[in-house]
Amino acid sequence: MKKKKSFWLVSFLVIVASVFFISFGLSNYSKQVAQADSDTTSTDHSSNDTADSVSDGVILHAWCWSFNTIKNNLKQIHDAGYTAVQTSPVNEVKVGNSASKSLNNWYWLYQPTKYSIGNYYLGTEAEFKSMCAAAKEYNIRIIVDATLNDTTSDYSAISDEIKSISDWTHGNTQISNWSDREDVTQNSLLGFYDWNTQNSQVQTYLKNHLERLISDGASGFRYDAATHIELPSQYDGSYGSNFWPNITDNGSEFQYGEVLQDSISKESDYANYMSVTASNYGNTIRNALKNRDFTASTLQNFNISVPASKLVTWVESHDNYANDDQVSTWMNSSDIKLGWAVVASRSGSVPLFFDRPVDGGNGTRFPGSSEIGDAGSSLYYDKAVVAVNKFHNAMAGQSEYISNPNGNTKIFENERGSKGVVFANASDSSYSLNVKTSLADGTYENKAGSDEFTVKNGYLTGTIQGREVVVLYGDPTSSSSSSTTTETKKVYFEKPSSWGSTVYAYVYNKNTNKAITSAWPGKEMTALGHDEYELDLDTDEDDSDLAVIFTDGTNQTPAANEAGFTFTADATYDQNGVVTTSDSSSSSSSTTTETKKVYFEKPSSWGSTVYAYVYNKNTNKAITSAWPGKEMTALGHDEYELDLDTDEDDSDLAVIFTDGTNQTPAANEAGFTFTADATYDQNGVVTTSDSSSSSSSTTTETKKVYFEKPSSWGSTVYAYVYNKNTNKAITSAWPGKEMTALGHDEYELDLDTDEDDSDLAVIFTDGTNQTPAANEAGFTFTADATYDQNGVVTTSDSSSSSSSTTTETKKVYFEKPSSWGSTVYAYVYNKNTNKAITSAWPGKEMTALGHDEYELDLDTDEDDSDLAVIFTDGTNQTPAANEAGFTFTADATYDQNGVVTTSDSSSTSSSS
């Protein structure tokens, strides 16, 4: 029962009127199942026709079906994959409206008068027992809808058996405050006489009824209006009772309560005693169907603080359908099937399929095509519904992953582990699937339809039609064999400019008309740019047996009802047929693939990521990847480089440069002629370089330059060397190559190059500052020169040394101050070039001689007069920072003030 039904009380104040209150107040779960055909699928008690337990299976709500009708349809119910059948209430009820069995009198079934088994509408106890016995033969469980909250509102119709129980009722004072849980559980729903459920005699009477039903063959119960019966005192305080712990201790396999979610429903507490209804999730499903929006994050959320294993879910309940508010009556069969694909594909919960009256729906509740006692609509054994049922049974224990393929919120996907997947398309339009999957490779037939889907290398492809359900599981078929070789064949299509941006190729066998790609519209082609598209097709069939049709979903060529173009691998087609063909066998061992380079000076207004799109001018086929092409490598100063592996002639190629927004040449203009090693700007070729000029006689030299950085610069300094003629970087891209710190703000660059100094220029930078300034030409490169921020300071002729030069070992000594540390360094440098003679600052560690005296051994052929020396312990130094070093004198002894003594080491001779 639902509290929203209380509006009936406003309309009726008499007993007869209260009958109608009852009719709408008590309907909550009822299912209908259609009449079975005599020769449907065979009964196979194995496979996935039924699950091992109700908790792992699917329930059919045979709403208002008689016991005999259910019994006569058990074979079809079994073959349709249902594990349980839920009946309408089976106890004795009030018979109203002149005993009419029109379905708009369904509510009388929710007005108990006595708790014996059997009633006017559904059949006798003997028929109930016969139905249960037959169900067990099909491994089907019977779930009885039990009305334990109240009786009829007609006191005179209530049996003396009930009235003889002392203090049996709370009365029929109606609920006035639906936000007050005591009011909701202790007063009357819609004027029905409310059972005094705290009364132990009442509990015994009702429990005896349940136990008798189990004895007759029932396997479980649905408790109508469960949320109107109080919980134990730890949940409901002073008015709480042990009704539910006592009642549910009845030995049945499966029990669930109608707990319609609201602010006081306490569904998580009821779940301690039974499964509960996820009524809000039903609202979510119907809203998704109405809005045609299958957003995965929305459909994944059951909207209830109860584990999925304790939930009963539905697309609609009998209350949603049959009450006067007609919450779900608007849905058509397509809506039901799509919603069922979502609900019943899910893990954990138990789905319940409400079977509507024959011809019901689309806004019509009771069309009059069937009545109470009859089977309902045939939708419960529709192919798609059955496929989802059996999928649910087969996936027991598998994890679920709910998503929208490629973000398309019109398509629902639920992949269950690596065993199966269900798709549902809320849109009227078909959709080409290309999604990652854990399913095994092979071809799968849609168990909900007749189309096929392919899994290869972890991707599932195929086309789901508008409003279609796709169910894939089980062993795939496989066309491959050890003797067959599958090739990947390509074709290209130049689409008309008026076509849409998504293009499909539909390839089929001309002899069998069987699709080689997925079903119409085929496989989506890859856009290569400039209206060119590519298809990769894995097939071992001969080209001569195949035909191809191109379409954007609206336009197609050849036209509808015309034969496709003959399929030719590697051919390029336009809307009139083949434009060019390429003989892929022309390559041989004599063909050499070259790596060709081109350079591009981008405009300063362009973005920092630049692409080169190279294509064959004759075929329009991309040589790089599809538009926008291959990303170029930034060399610095807005220069970019492309490496292209190709054996095609430059004369056949053209190139377009783009940052994704800007491009040159402009859109719809032909690309620049491709010239290997050329540098382009936005107007075309700037310079070309003959890359064949190098030979075995070319020698690469290591050249050095030095830089005295300004003291305000950072400690990391780079040198960017480039060719002044081509603007091509010789070092790595901007900011260039990191220089080696030599100390005292001096840095060294080692550069391996065979280019002439006169062709090179150099720029120094710390990443923030640079010299020369931005947009100025670099300093002319001079090997072995020392630069400061204004240019060359000194040059050194590195060729002056010869075999006659003798390197000497020179010594100096230092008496350190007692306050200095124990480790002392000597930094010796050339006063003319500022180049370190020792290692970089703080220099070479001196040898301790004792008594604060230290010795330096220095191997050098430079004159003492050109050298200076600084002593330091890493913290203290002499001379002080920014002062010139002491003049270097071999064999001299220094203290912190300079030379103390000198010794003439040449006075020693053999004659001494």
Side-chain angles (χ1 to χ4, degrees), residues 707 771 779 787-793:
F707 178 62
T771 184
F779 300 128
Y787 297 79
D788 64 9
Q789 60 184 329
N790 298 311
V792 174
V793 178

Side-chain angles (χ1 to χ4, degrees), residues 559-857:
N561 300 319
E562 291 185 9
F565 299 128
T566 297
F567 184 95
T568 304
D570 299 308
T572 300
Y573 298 78
D574 64 9
Q575 60 183 331
N576 299 312
V578 174
V579 179
T580 60
T581 60
S582 172
D583 184 359
S584 60
S585 65
S586 61
S587 62
S588 69
S589 57
S590 62
T591 302
T592 303
T593 299
E594 300 178 67
T595 299
K596 301 181 179 184
K597 297 178 182 285
V598 290
Y599 304 90
F600 178 61
E601 298 171 353
K602 81 168 182 67
S604 58
S605 61
W606 281 32
S608 59
T609 302
V610 177
Y611 303 87
Y613 176 74
V614 182
Y615 64 98
N616 186 297
K617 295 182 290 187
N618 304 315
T619 65
N620 276 329
K621 180 179 175 181
I623 306 301
T624 56
S625 51
W627 181 264
K630 183 177 179 181
E631 185 174 343
M632 301 184 75
T633 302
L635 301 178
H637 289 274
D638 289 338
E639 185 180 12
Y640 290 76
E641 178 185 72
L642 171 72
D643 291 330
L644 184 68
D645 294 327
T646 181
D647 55 7
E648 301 209 21
D649 289 340
D650 289 8
S651 60
D652 292 329
L653 304 179
V655 60
I656 300 171
F657 303 97
T658 179
D659 65 351
T661 303
N662 307 287
Q663 74 173 71
T664 183
N668 300 318
E669 291 185 8
F672 299 129
T673 296
F674 184 95
T675 303
D677 299 307
T679 300
Y680 297 77
D681 64 9
Q682 61 183 329
N683 299 313
V685 174
V686 179
T687 60
T688 60
S689 172
D690 183 1
S691 61
S692 64
S693 61
S694 62
S695 69
S696 59
S697 63
T698 302
T699 303
T700 299
E701 300 179 65
T702 299
K703 301 181 179 184
K704 297 178 183 284
V705 291
Y706 304 89
F707 178 62
E708 299 172 351
K709 82 169 181 68
S711 58
S712 61
W713 280 32
S715 60
T716 303
V717 178
Y718 303 87
Y720 176 74
V721 182
Y722 64 99
N723 187 297
K724 294 183 290 187
N725 303 315
T726 65
N727 277 329
K728 180 180 176 180
I730 305 302
T731 57
S732 52
W734 182 264
K737 183 177 179 181
E738 185 174 344
M739 302 184 75
T740 302
L742 300 178
H744 288 274
D745 289 337
E746 185 180 12
Y747 290 77
E748 178 185 70
L749 170 72
D750 291 330
L751 183 68
D752 295 327
T753 181
D754 56 6
E755 301 209 23
D756 290 341
D757 289 8
S758 60
D759 292 329
L760 304 180
V762 61
I763 300 171
F764 302 98
T765 179
D766 66 351
T768 303
N769 307 287
Q770 74 173 69
T771 184
N775 299 318
E776 291 185 8
F779 300 128
T780 297
F781 184 94
T782 304
D784 299 308
T786 300
Y787 297 79
D788 64 9
Q789 60 184 329
N790 298 311
V792 174
V793 178
T794 61
T795 60
S796 173
D797 183 0
S798 62
S799 65
S800 62
S801 62
S802 68
S803 59
S804 63
T805 301
T806 303
T807 298
E808 301 179 65
T809 299
K810 301 181 179 185
K811 297 177 183 284
V812 290
Y813 303 88
F814 179 62
E815 297 173 351
K816 82 170 182 68
S818 59
S819 60
W820 280 32
S822 60
T823 303
V824 177
Y825 302 89
Y827 177 73
V828 182
Y829 64 99
N830 186 298
K831 294 183 289 186
N832 303 314
T833 64
N834 275 328
K835 180 179 177 182
I837 305 303
T838 57
S839 52
W841 182 265
K844 182 177 180 180
E845 185 176 344
M846 300 183 75
T847 302
L849 300 177
H851 295 277
D852 288 337
E853 185 177 12
Y854 289 77
E855 178 186 70
L856 170 72
D857 292 330

Side-chain angles (χ1 to χ4, degrees), residues 152-171:
T152 180
S153 60
D154 181 358
Y155 191 83
S156 65
I158 299 172
S159 68
D160 291 338
E161 179 178 284
I162 292 175
K163 293 175 183 177
S164 67
I165 301 173
S166 176
D167 194 22
W168 71 273
T169 182
H170 290 143

